Amino acid sequence: MAHHLEGKRTNYRWTIVTLLLFATTINYMDRNVIGYLKDYFCSSDGFGWSATDFSLLTAVFTAFYAGFTLFAGFIIDKIGTKIGLAGSLVGWSLAGIASAFMGKGLFTHIVARGIFGAGEAGNFPASIKTVAEWFPKKERALATGIFNSGSNVGAMICAIIIPIILAAWNPNEGNDLFLGIFHGWQMAFILTGLVGFLWLFFWSKLYSSPKNMLEKGKINQVEFDYIHSDEDEIVAASTEEVKVPWYKMLTYKQTWSFVAGKFMTDGIWWFLLFWLPTYIKQQFCVGMDPIETKHTVMISTFVVYGIAIIGSIYGGSLPMSFMNKGWETYRARMTALLIIAFLPLSLISTQYVAASWGIVAAVAIISLGGAAHQAWSANLFTTVSDMFPKKAVGSVTGIGAAAGGLGGVLMQLLAGGLEDHFRIKGVLEASKAGLIKATDTIPLETVKIDNLKEVLIDPSTLDQAQHFISSNVSISYGIMFTICAFSYLIAWGIMKFLVPRHTPITN
């Protein structure tokens, strides 16, 4: 019957996924602000932090995000997605705004960023659970890919607006809107934090469960039946679901398969979010004037995140094309993940192509890696709803997101530690070559590109001294890109070992 009426089916589920797209866009816009403020925080004119200080800030955020996703998924399974996602957004938006009032101290920013991470923890468990409630299995990866592309849209918006905000509220350049009460870094937190409250209005008006929307006439019976058309999920709409204990999720290999996939790969995206602007600046902008540097960073990051949108949506549609040919769900999903896992291997060549062909080639390679990650992420999330009943999706997603956050913590600390290690190595080499000399106010371990002129023995050797530092720092990024390259294939192998064939949880 549903097949003959397919042309008359309502499509309200795509309105729902559009709401999730905007929520994720706001989530990543608020999250990604910090990546564009790193250079200010770590400059002598700003907060004077080291790369290790900054990595500690992002690691604490990631740790709080990871820890609270464990509880967020469980809570959302209890209270439902409508209240859960709204509460999460209010929490992270207020914490983001509060970051503007934390001064220059590392500890106060760590506190604010930790609370921010706890607030953001509810976004993905709620969104994945919503997709499971509103879409049949064959459409879930596509729906996830669509809303997950918001992580790129949010980053792209940041690439455009944060440099503008920093310039508009910069007393050093004579720009002091609002009578100089706030600086650019403060307004970056405030303005992005306020956007989420507009989304809340639409979420409250447009979202409810399929059952409620059927009763309200927003969807028809044909769409409702299509949403619940999977054979292993055909249940009466009035059936009350029994809540599953959170700890029971840890007894299933299917949970640990998802955990492994998230732990091994989530940190790659955290690395790109928080460190890509700095990488572009340090690798390609040495010697540029500030305006040219700003434009180069903005355009490069905009391109990377823009291309990643294609990966998110296309990657989500790939298993559906296999299923339409009659493939079983798990086979289609794992085949798509394997194909995608090979693409990040190109990241191994990032530093080689950067040295040989410049920024365009390097950005192209990084864009491919970012697109592959988003394609991987869209399908990885959907493995949860493939194997677990809808009542458990939020909890399992939360457990996996916590593991992904832990992987992100390790990646942040590694990135910061490596950058500082190789920067100091370059500084010492420049010192041994007789190019620079420490001063009372600038010891060697605090020398960076931006304050290098102040310790030069001969101003004419600036380019040579910069080369010592930048060439060493580039080694740290080469190591990070190599780790990124192999993570996906290793993750796929572990997942396939744990769950070699489709074994959905039905008890």
Side-chain angles (χ1 to χ4, degrees):
M1 184 68 174
H3 176 74
H4 296 299
L5 294 175
E6 190 167 329
K8 301 178 181 179
R9 185 173 67 216
T10 53
N11 288 297
Y12 195 79
R13 63 195 184 282
W14 299 108
T15 299
I16 298 299
V17 87
T18 302
L19 288 170
L20 299 180
L21 165 65
F22 282 112
T24 304
T25 297
I26 295 167
N27 182 284
Y28 271 79
M29 184 172 67
D30 294 350
R31 182 184 305 187
N32 206 43
V33 168
I34 200 79
Y36 290 91
L37 298 180
K38 175 183 179 292
D39 288 325
Y40 177 76
F41 289 166
C42 295
S43 71
S44 54
D45 294 329
F47 292 3
W49 294 354
S50 68
T52 300
D53 290 335
F54 179 79
S55 71
L56 182 60
L57 176 69
T58 58
V60 168
F61 156 74
T62 311
F64 271 76
Y65 176 85
F68 276 83
T69 49
L70 287 170
F71 305 104
F74 174 73
I75 292 170
I76 287 165
D77 277 339
K78 290 285 188 182
I79 67 175
T81 50
K82 184 166 188 174
I83 297 174
L85 186 52
S88 179
L89 182 136
V90 169
W92 89 60
S93 296
L94 291 176
I97 293 170
S99 296
F101 304 96
M102 294 298 108
K104 296 184 178 182
L106 178 61
F107 177 76
T108 53
H109 277 278
I110 283 176
V111 171
R113 213 63 188 167
I115 298 172
F116 178 82
E120 285 210 333
N123 183 69
F124 274 93
S127 297
I128 296 299
K129 185 176 177 67
T130 299
V131 167
E133 292 172 344
W134 272 93
F135 288 84
K137 285 185 177 181
K138 75 175 186 176
E139 286 185 347
R140 286 179 191 168
L142 176 58
T144 301
I146 291 172
F147 90 71
N148 189 49
S149 67
S151 60
N152 308 296
V153 177
M156 292 169 70
I157 292 173
C158 273
I160 296 173
I161 69 169
I162 300 305
I164 294 174
I165 292 172
L166 291 175
W169 280 271
N170 187 348
N172 294 331
E173 295 182 8
N175 301 323
D176 54 352
L177 298 184
F178 294 142
L179 305 178
I181 297 174
F182 298 114
H183 284 207
W185 69 269
Q186 293 175 300
M187 290 306 301
F189 284 125
I190 292 171
L191 294 178
T192 54
L194 289 173
V195 174
F197 294 98
L198 178 64
W199 174 88
L200 277 176
F201 172 79
F202 293 98
W203 180 249
S204 64
K205 295 293 184 183
L206 299 176
Y207 180 81
S208 192
S209 68
K211 180 183 176 183
N212 289 340
M213 287 306 192
L214 179 65
E215 293 170 353
K216 293 178 180 179
K218 295 292 185 180
I219 68 173
N220 60 16
Q221 188 66 43
V222 182
E223 183 174 14
F224 183 86
D225 292 342
Y226 180 71
I227 291 169
H228 299 91
S229 61
D230 295 307
E231 292 184 6
D232 56 349
E233 293 186 0
I234 296 177
V235 293
S238 60
T239 299
E240 286 292 326
E241 292 185 337
V242 179
K243 300 299 180 184
V244 182
W246 176 86
Y247 62 84
K248 190 176 182 181
M249 299 300 111
L250 297 175
T251 64
Y252 297 112
K253 288 184 177 180
Q254 290 88 338
T255 300
W256 290 103
S257 172
F258 181 62
V259 163
K262 294 290 284 180
F263 175 79
M264 292 298 301
T265 62
D266 265 22
I268 312 315
W269 191 244
W270 296 101
F271 170 63
L272 288 178
L273 280 179
F274 296 140
W275 296 85
L276 182 58
T278 295
Y279 167 74
I280 297 295
K281 183 176 180 179
Q282 295 193 359
Q283 187 76 45
F284 303 107
C285 300
V286 174
M288 289 185 183
D289 63 66
I291 293 179
E292 189 178 3
T293 296
K294 180 176 68 176
H295 289 161
T296 300
V297 172
M298 180 179 71
I299 294 170
S300 300
T301 53
F302 188 87
V303 168
V304 170
Y305 298 130
I307 292 176
I309 293 175
I310 300 172
S312 184
I313 296 175
Y314 175 74
S317 68
L318 184 58
M320 187 168 69
S321 65
F322 294 145
M323 288 182 226
N324 288 337
K325 295 178 181 179
W327 286 31
E328 176 263 329
T329 301
Y330 188 69
R331 179 191 172 197
R333 194 82 64 211
M334 291 303 288
T335 300
L337 283 169
L338 180 60
I339 293 170
I340 293 163
F342 278 101
L343 298 180
L345 291 176
S346 61
L347 289 170
I348 299 171
S349 65
T350 304
Q351 295 302 74
Y352 173 76
V353 300
S356 302
W357 293 291
I359 187 171
V360 173
V363 167
I365 294 293
I366 296 171
S367 297
L368 179 60
H373 174 85
Q374 292 298 78
W376 169 276
S377 184
N379 282 284
L380 181 62
F381 271 123
T382 316
T383 61
V384 178
S385 54
D386 286 343
M387 295 188 285
F388 285 90
K390 294 176 182 179
K391 60 190 174 183
V393 166
S395 296
V396 177
T397 302
I399 295 169
L406 177 59
V409 168
L410 297 177
M411 287 290 284
Q412 299 307 312
L413 294 175
L414 181 61
L418 284 173
E419 182 180 315
D420 272 344
H421 171 77
F422 282 97
R423 173 183 58 80
I424 293 172
K425 184 173 180 287
V427 168
L428 293 175
E429 289 178 1
S431 177
K432 289 178 181 178
L435 302 178
I436 62 176
K437 183 178 181 180
T439 67
D440 292 338
T441 56
I442 307 177
L444 285 179
E445 61 268 19
T446 64
V447 173
K448 303 171 185 175
I449 294 290
D450 71 306
N451 64 2
L452 186 57
K453 292 181 181 179
E454 299 174 42
V455 294
L456 281 174
I457 295 174
D458 180 357
S460 67
T461 62
L462 175 62
D463 289 344
Q464 190 179 353
Q466 285 179 334
H467 177 74
F468 273 112
I469 297 175
S470 61
S471 61
N472 273 281
V473 169
S474 72
I475 297 173
S476 70
Y477 285 101
I479 294 171
M480 293 301 300
F481 284 129
T482 300
I483 293 171
C484 295
F486 288 100
S487 295
Y488 299 87
L489 280 174
I490 295 172
W492 188 91
I494 296 172
M495 292 172 65
K496 188 67 173 175
F497 173 77
L498 289 171
V499 185
R501 61 187 63 83
H502 186 47
T503 49
I505 305 299
T506 58
N507 61 339

